[in-house]
Amino acid sequence: MPAPAPTPVPVVAKIPAGSQHLVIRAVDPTWIRVQPDEGRATEELLPAGASREWSAERRFLVTIGNAGGVEVALNGKVLPPLGPKGTVVHRLELPQAPASGS
């Protein structure tokens, strides 16, 4: 009898170590720009169904051309919608800095 075929092992992409982890998934085609910490920004048009991941030590600056067209998760927690479809979100800092009380 032939030996059973080995079960394929899924390939998992390694994410660079960082204390912050951001995932953006496009529900509709959406232009995004993400800058981790003070590093180089990534800009692209995400097609519907595509997702991207980033890691950073402290924070991300995010610009989204269609706030209602994406789902955003920070450190494994899905964030509430950033706005209605067609709304542009400029330079959103994630995680958001705590509000300073006066």
Side-chain angles (χ1 to χ4, degrees):
M1 279 199 319
T7 305
V9 176
V11 176
V12 178
K14 291 195 174 195
I15 297 167
S19 59
Q20 305 294 330
H21 183 207
L22 178 69
V23 177
I24 298 179
R25 187 176 80 79
V27 177
D28 293 325
T30 304
W31 179 85
I32 61 167
R33 181 180 195 272
V34 177
Q35 180 183 12
D37 294 324
E38 306 306 320
R40 184 177 177 159
T42 301
E43 295 183 33
E44 69 179 296
L45 177 62
L46 283 183
S51 64
R52 299 291 182 266
E53 298 183 31
W54 296 266
S55 289
E57 290 299 320
R58 296 182 317 279
R59 57 106 177 125
F60 303 94
L61 276 181
V62 180
T63 300
I64 298 174
N66 178 8
V70 294
E71 293 175 351
V72 179
L74 182 65
N75 301 325
K77 294 182 181 178
V78 176
L79 302 181
L82 300 176
K85 288 187 179 192
T87 301
V88 177
V89 174
H90 295 278
R91 298 183 58 83
L92 173 65
E93 187 172 340
L94 295 174
Q96 293 183 337
S100 57
S102 301

